[in-house]
Amino acid sequence: MNTKNISRFAVYAVLGMAAFFFLAPLYVMLVTSLKDANQLRAGNLLSLPTSLNFEPWQLAWSTACTGVDCRGLKPYFWNSVSMAVPAVLISTAWGALNGYVLSMWKFKGSDLLFGFMLFGVFMPFQVVLLPMSQVLGFLGLSSSVAGLVLVHCLAGMASTTLFFRNYYTAIPRELIQAARMDGAGFWRIFYRIVIPMSTPILMVTLIWQFTNIWNDFLFGVAFSGADSKPITVGLNNLANTTSSVKSYNVDMAAAIIAGLPTMLVYVLAGQYFVKGLTAGAVKG
């Protein structure tokens, strides 16, 4: 075996160990969610189920208790969908417009404004809980899905602006100047030239925002009401609800249900995410 083959084998071995390390918890969750109570007591974490049992999934979705509410994760799931979809679309569009202005239509103080906006990328969200709650109360959006949408749009504005602004700085200025000489205005250049060139960074931002918003717990537990709690809060309540016998299979099924949308996004669109990051790295 030559040196090249040894190096390749070493790389594959390291990648295989890393994959096993990260996929082992998912495997344990999946096989546990398919076992009944007798198999849980008789087997171990790594053993395969003797027969497939989807009752834990049905319980986690529709009848498991999350505190005093025994409707499962279904209402929380649809609350998250109602929150994540508009929040992702609005924050992405907002960031694209901000990045477009700050990179191609600079004005006096635009660089300073962008610098201040970057503080939002590094600022811990715990700092804004109190002022944000006051703003939501003033707007009449407390304890509502609409309030959560607004919070996530504001929280994601700094990151989405950063993504698009850095991407748009690589677009040739001659292209924009030529469009302006041909009579194209602010919005026509944005829709006809800039947006069609933004597919890579659009995919990166959409996946990034969806993952952050869907998996958020802090804002969900702080700003939601009884009928607007997202799935992360529902999962926490389900896992912490005490009963005579702990149903680990139901908890594992609920955890997979909560994480399934983000897993599907990465499986279906992960290649675009990687391509978008690579394009941004090359252009940056």
Side-chain angles (χ1 to χ4, degrees):
M1 184 179 291
N2 57 36
T3 304
K4 183 177 180 181
N5 291 334
I6 294 176
S7 300
R8 181 176 297 177
F9 175 79
V11 170
Y12 287 154
V14 172
L15 292 176
M17 292 174 60
F20 174 80
F21 178 79
F22 285 105
L23 292 177
L26 179 61
Y27 167 80
V28 172
M29 291 169 60
L30 182 60
V31 298
T32 302
S33 70
L34 297 174
K35 296 176 181 178
D36 57 26
N38 292 330
Q39 293 181 68
L40 289 177
R41 289 191 292 266
N44 57 59
L45 288 176
L46 300 179
S47 63
L48 291 171
T50 56
S51 61
L52 296 182
N53 175 35
F54 293 99
E55 184 181 3
W57 289 72
Q58 191 273 331
L59 293 174
W61 176 252
S62 60
T63 60
C65 292
T66 55
V68 297
D69 186 1
C70 294
R71 294 180 296 167
L73 291 182
K74 183 177 180 180
Y76 301 96
F77 182 91
W78 292 118
N79 284 341
S80 285
V81 172
S82 301
M83 171 192 69
V85 172
V88 169
L89 295 178
I90 294 172
S91 61
T92 300
W94 197 351
L97 186 59
N98 287 345
Y100 170 59
V101 172
L102 292 174
S103 61
M104 300 181 184
W105 297 79
K106 288 190 174 183
F107 51 89
K108 185 176 181 180
S110 60
D111 290 335
L112 180 62
L113 176 62
F114 178 64
F116 280 120
M117 290 184 66
L118 288 183
F119 280 110
V121 178
F122 307 103
M123 182 181 299
F125 289 141
Q126 291 84 348
V127 175
V128 303
L129 291 182
L130 181 58
M132 187 64 72
S133 64
Q134 293 176 331
V135 170
L136 292 178
F138 175 78
L139 296 176
L141 297 176
S142 298
S143 303
S144 66
V145 173
L148 290 174
V149 171
L150 176 61
V151 169
H152 284 295
C153 288
L154 294 175
M157 180 179 63
S159 297
T160 58
T161 300
L162 174 64
F163 291 161
F164 281 102
R165 188 264 185 186
N166 288 348
Y167 187 85
Y168 288 158
T169 53
I171 295 179
R173 292 295 174 273
E174 294 78 8
L175 183 64
I176 306 302
Q177 292 172 359
R180 296 178 69 176
M181 292 179 62
D182 289 340
F186 178 90
W187 291 108
R188 176 165 292 187
I189 294 175
F190 183 60
Y191 287 120
R192 296 293 182 88
I193 299 176
V194 175
I195 290 298
M197 299 176 65
S198 304
T199 301
I201 198 63
L202 275 172
M203 295 305 300
V204 169
T205 307
L206 288 171
I207 295 174
W208 176 272
Q209 282 296 96
F210 180 80
T211 302
N212 287 339
I213 294 173
W214 186 273
N215 291 335
D216 172 73
F217 177 78
L218 178 64
F219 291 152
V221 75
F223 300 129
S224 62
D227 297 325
S228 60
K229 296 184 184 299
I231 196 166
T232 50
V233 178
L235 178 62
N236 177 75
N237 293 346
L238 186 150
N240 291 321
T241 299
T242 58
S243 59
S244 57
V245 178
K246 186 63 175 177
S247 300
Y248 291 104
N249 50 358
V250 176
D251 290 348
M252 295 299 180
I256 295 176
I257 291 173
L260 195 59
T262 52
M263 286 190 287
L264 288 176
V265 165
Y266 276 101
V267 169
L268 298 177
Q271 58 177 330
Y272 302 105
F273 184 78
V274 174
K275 289 179 180 178
L277 290 177
T278 304
V282 172
K283 293 187 177 184

